[in-house]
PDB file of all heavy atoms in Angstrom:
ATOM      1  N   ARG U 162     126.107 100.695 119.025  1.00  0.00           N
ATOM      2  CA  ARG U 162     126.746 101.311 117.840  1.00  0.00           C
ATOM      3  C   ARG U 162     128.143 101.339 117.889  1.00  0.00           C
ATOM      4  O   ARG U 162     128.912 101.525 116.903  1.00  0.00           O
ATOM      5  CB  ARG U 162     126.186 102.815 117.857  1.00  0.00           C
ATOM      6  CG  ARG U 162     124.774 103.044 117.679  1.00  0.00           C
ATOM      7  CD  ARG U 162     124.061 102.177 116.603  1.00  0.00           C
ATOM      8  NE  ARG U 162     124.688 102.197 115.350  1.00  0.00           N
ATOM      9  CZ  ARG U 162     124.022 102.045 114.175  1.00  0.00           C
ATOM     10  NH1 ARG U 162     122.684 101.840 114.148  1.00  0.00           N
ATOM     11  NH2 ARG U 162     124.723 101.971 112.975  1.00  0.00           N
ATOM     12  N   VAL U 163     128.772 101.011 119.083  1.00  0.00           N
ATOM     13  CA  VAL U 163     130.191 100.966 119.269  1.00  0.00           C
ATOM     14  C   VAL U 163     130.491  99.672 120.048  1.00  0.00           C
ATOM     15  O   VAL U 163     129.867  99.515 121.085  1.00  0.00           O
ATOM     16  CB  VAL U 163     130.826 102.116 120.024  1.00  0.00           C
ATOM     17  CG1 VAL U 163     132.356 101.950 120.193  1.00  0.00           C
ATOM     18  CG2 VAL U 163     130.608 103.439 119.230  1.00  0.00           C
ATOM     19  N   THR U 164     131.326  98.814 119.606  1.00  0.00           N
ATOM     20  CA  THR U 164     131.827  97.706 120.377  1.00  0.00           C
ATOM     21  C   THR U 164     133.346  97.700 120.241  1.00  0.00           C
ATOM     22  O   THR U 164     133.937  98.789 120.152  1.00  0.00           O
ATOM     23  CB  THR U 164     131.110  96.411 119.890  1.00  0.00           C
ATOM     24  OG1 THR U 164     131.668  95.274 120.805  1.00  0.00           O
ATOM     25  CG2 THR U 164     131.426  96.037 118.423  1.00  0.00           C
ATOM     26  N   GLY U 165     134.045  96.578 120.378  1.00  0.00           N
ATOM     27  CA  GLY U 165     135.484  96.609 120.240  1.00  0.00           C
ATOM     28  C   GLY U 165     136.165  95.293 120.821  1.00  0.00           C
ATOM     29  O   GLY U 165     135.601  94.246 120.667  1.00  0.00           O
ATOM     30  N   CYS U 166     137.242  95.517 121.463  1.00  0.00           N
ATOM     31  CA  CYS U 166     137.968  94.404 122.032  1.00  0.00           C
ATOM     32  C   CYS U 166     138.684  94.805 123.295  1.00  0.00           C
ATOM     33  O   CYS U 166     138.922  95.993 123.534  1.00  0.00           O
ATOM     34  CB  CYS U 166     139.052  93.895 120.973  1.00  0.00           C
ATOM     35  SG  CYS U 166     139.975  95.167 120.149  1.00  0.00           S
ATOM     36  N   THR U 167     139.015  93.788 124.094  1.00  0.00           N
ATOM     37  CA  THR U 167     139.511  94.027 125.471  1.00  0.00           C
ATOM     38  C   THR U 167     140.625  92.986 125.648  1.00  0.00           C
ATOM     39  O   THR U 167     140.485  91.812 125.382  1.00  0.00           O
ATOM     40  CB  THR U 167     138.530  93.758 126.474  1.00  0.00           C
ATOM     41  OG1 THR U 167     137.313  94.575 126.213  1.00  0.00           O
ATOM     42  CG2 THR U 167     139.002  94.017 127.843  1.00  0.00           C
ATOM     43  N   VAL U 168     141.775  93.447 126.196  1.00  0.00           N
ATOM     44  CA  VAL U 168     142.801  92.588 126.737  1.00  0.00           C
ATOM     45  C   VAL U 168     142.645  92.686 128.340  1.00  0.00           C
ATOM     46  O   VAL U 168     142.665  93.767 128.834  1.00  0.00           O
ATOM     47  CB  VAL U 168     144.225  92.858 126.284  1.00  0.00           C
ATOM     48  CG1 VAL U 168     145.277  92.072 126.948  1.00  0.00           C
ATOM     49  CG2 VAL U 168     144.280  92.859 124.724  1.00  0.00           C
ATOM     50  N   HIS U 169     142.539  91.465 128.917  1.00  0.00           N
ATOM     51  CA  HIS U 169     142.403  91.522 130.339  1.00  0.00           C
ATOM     52  C   HIS U 169     143.089  90.401 131.015  1.00  0.00           C
ATOM     53  O   HIS U 169     143.423  89.373 130.310  1.00  0.00           O
ATOM     54  CB  HIS U 169     140.882  91.476 130.803  1.00  0.00           C
ATOM     55  CG  HIS U 169     140.228  90.178 130.354  1.00  0.00           C
ATOM     56  ND1 HIS U 169     139.989  89.154 131.250  1.00  0.00           N
ATOM     57  CD2 HIS U 169     139.705  89.733 129.201  1.00  0.00           C
ATOM     58  CE1 HIS U 169     139.447  88.104 130.646  1.00  0.00           C
ATOM     59  NE2 HIS U 169     139.148  88.548 129.472  1.00  0.00           N
ATOM     60  N   VAL U 170     143.349  90.502 132.314  1.00  0.00           N
ATOM     61  CA  VAL U 170     144.021  89.532 133.074  1.00  0.00           C
ATOM     62  C   VAL U 170     142.861  88.581 133.402  1.00  0.00           C
ATOM     63  O   VAL U 170     141.731  88.891 133.651  1.00  0.00           O
ATOM     64  CB  VAL U 170     144.575  90.172 134.513  1.00  0.00           C
ATOM     65  CG1 VAL U 170     145.091  88.999 135.243  1.00  0.00           C
ATOM     66  CG2 VAL U 170     145.632  91.207 134.187  1.00  0.00           C
ATOM     67  N   VAL U 171     143.238  87.229 133.332  1.00  0.00           N
ATOM     68  CA  VAL U 171     142.243  86.149 133.540  1.00  0.00           C
ATOM     69  C   VAL U 171     142.131  85.848 135.058  1.00  0.00           C
ATOM     70  O   VAL U 171     143.121  85.659 135.709  1.00  0.00           O
ATOM     71  CB  VAL U 171     142.644  84.934 132.758  1.00  0.00           C
ATOM     72  CG1 VAL U 171     141.621  83.814 133.061  1.00  0.00           C
ATOM     73  CG2 VAL U 171     142.680  85.229 131.295  1.00  0.00           C
ATOM     74  N   ASP U 172     140.856  85.924 135.476  1.00  0.00           N
ATOM     75  CA  ASP U 172     140.604  85.445 136.840  1.00  0.00           C
ATOM     76  C   ASP U 172     139.614  84.232 136.714  1.00  0.00           C
ATOM     77  O   ASP U 172     139.458  83.665 135.653  1.00  0.00           O
ATOM     78  CB  ASP U 172     139.994  86.594 137.691  1.00  0.00           C
ATOM     79  CG  ASP U 172     138.688  87.066 137.258  1.00  0.00           C
ATOM     80  OD1 ASP U 172     138.021  86.415 136.373  1.00  0.00           O
ATOM     81  OD2 ASP U 172     138.214  88.107 137.837  1.00  0.00           O
ATOM     82  N   ASP U 173     138.995  83.841 137.856  1.00  0.00           N
ATOM     83  CA  ASP U 173     138.199  82.597 137.884  1.00  0.00           C
ATOM     84  C   ASP U 173     136.820  82.755 137.214  1.00  0.00           C
ATOM     85  O   ASP U 173     136.183  81.779 136.900  1.00  0.00           O
ATOM     86  CB  ASP U 173     137.835  82.230 139.339  1.00  0.00           C
ATOM     87  CG  ASP U 173     139.141  81.721 140.000  1.00  0.00           C
ATOM     88  OD1 ASP U 173     140.245  81.522 139.292  1.00  0.00           O
ATOM     89  OD2 ASP U 173     139.142  81.359 141.185  1.00  0.00           O
ATOM     90  N   GLY U 174     136.487  84.016 136.888  1.00  0.00           N
ATOM     91  CA  GLY U 174     135.153  84.231 136.174  1.00  0.00           C
ATOM     92  C   GLY U 174     135.363  84.093 134.597  1.00  0.00           C
ATOM     93  O   GLY U 174     136.421  83.910 134.103  1.00  0.00           O
ATOM     94  N   VAL U 175     134.170  84.257 133.930  1.00  0.00           N
ATOM     95  CA  VAL U 175     134.170  84.348 132.488  1.00  0.00           C
ATOM     96  C   VAL U 175     134.458  85.767 131.938  1.00  0.00           C
ATOM     97  O   VAL U 175     133.450  86.594 132.064  1.00  0.00           O
ATOM     98  CB  VAL U 175     132.902  83.736 131.896  1.00  0.00           C
ATOM     99  CG1 VAL U 175     132.909  83.785 130.380  1.00  0.00           C
ATOM    100  CG2 VAL U 175     132.756  82.192 132.498  1.00  0.00           C
ATOM    101  N   ASP U 176     135.597  86.086 131.531  1.00  0.00           N
ATOM    102  CA  ASP U 176     135.940  87.429 131.018  1.00  0.00           C
ATOM    103  C   ASP U 176     135.667  88.456 132.079  1.00  0.00           C
ATOM    104  O   ASP U 176     135.272  89.578 131.759  1.00  0.00           O
ATOM    105  CB  ASP U 176     135.074  87.643 129.694  1.00  0.00           C
ATOM    106  CG  ASP U 176     135.316  86.575 128.656  1.00  0.00           C
ATOM    107  OD1 ASP U 176     136.499  86.177 128.513  1.00  0.00           O
ATOM    108  OD2 ASP U 176     134.363  86.308 127.897  1.00  0.00           O
ATOM    109  N   THR U 177     135.972  88.229 133.269  1.00  0.00           N
ATOM    110  CA  THR U 177     135.716  89.156 134.384  1.00  0.00           C
ATOM    111  C   THR U 177     137.011  89.824 134.915  1.00  0.00           C
ATOM    112  O   THR U 177     136.817  90.692 135.862  1.00  0.00           O
ATOM    113  CB  THR U 177     135.016  88.453 135.474  1.00  0.00           C
ATOM    114  OG1 THR U 177     135.655  87.318 135.897  1.00  0.00           O
ATOM    115  CG2 THR U 177     133.541  88.065 135.134  1.00  0.00           C
TER     116      THR U 177
END
Side-chain angles (χ1 to χ4, degrees):
R162 303 309 315 209
V163 177
T164 182
C166 47
T167 302
V168 177
H169 66 95
V170 179
V171 177
D172 66 8
D173 289 354
V175 177
D176 300 325
T177 53

